Amino acid sequence: MGVAEIVEEHDDWVKAKILLDTVEPHELLDPTLSAEDLLYRLYHEDGVTVYPETQLRRHCTCSVETVAEMLRRFSPEDRADMVKDGEIEVVCEFCSSVYRFKPSQFA
Ligand SMILES: [Zn+2]
């Protein structure tokens, strides 16, 4: 990407922000004005493309297998330090799933 392209991109972004600043609070609060209509109102000169919405859902890739594999990479001493009340408990930081293991399964 050349310098001229970067400058051009920058100008487009500045223009986009200037136009966005012209939005009045009542437009943002108007229940009869859809987001698509507002976008068109602001940016119709440059063309507006609205992509189909994407449904988001909570999803985490953790599993008993991946957590056990992670625990296997620790040294036996480190795993021994993790044992509480006869088991190793791991809580996924992303989805809060709780996994419990018997220390003997890593022997
Ligand atoms: Zn998770």
Side-chain angles (χ1 to χ4, degrees):
M1 179 181 284
V3 173
E5 276 178 274
I6 293 169
V7 171
E8 194 176 316
E9 228 176 62
H10 183 255
D11 286 347
D12 285 346
W13 180 239
V14 169
K15 183 181 171 189
K17 287 198 295 185
I18 288 169
L19 287 171
L20 191 60
D21 281 343
T22 66
V23 176
E24 300 287 335
H26 70 83
E27 289 178 294
L28 293 174
L29 296 171
D30 185 349
T32 66
L33 181 62
S34 70
E36 289 83 356
D37 288 339
L38 183 58
L39 281 171
Y40 185 78
R41 191 180 282 185
L42 289 171
Y43 301 115
H44 64 93
E45 281 182 14
D46 294 305
V48 174
T49 303
V50 177
Y51 294 96
E53 66 182 19
T54 302
Q55 291 292 333
L56 302 180
R57 65 186 176 93
R58 290 169 64 95
H59 174 68
C60 187
T61 57
C62 72
S63 66
V64 176
E65 292 76 21
T66 57
V67 176
E69 182 56 39
M70 182 266 297
L71 286 174
R72 252 178 237 114
R73 282 187 239 127
F74 284 96
S75 68
E77 295 77 21
D78 286 342
R79 271 199 307 272
D81 287 341
M82 299 173 194
V83 177
K84 243 185 206 168
D85 300 327
E87 58 185 17
I88 298 172
E89 183 182 278
V90 177
V91 180
C92 177
E93 294 287 329
F94 297 103
C95 69
S96 302
S97 292
V98 179
Y99 298 95
R100 291 191 178 86
F101 301 90
K102 292 285 173 209
S104 58
Q105 74 183 87
F106 300 103

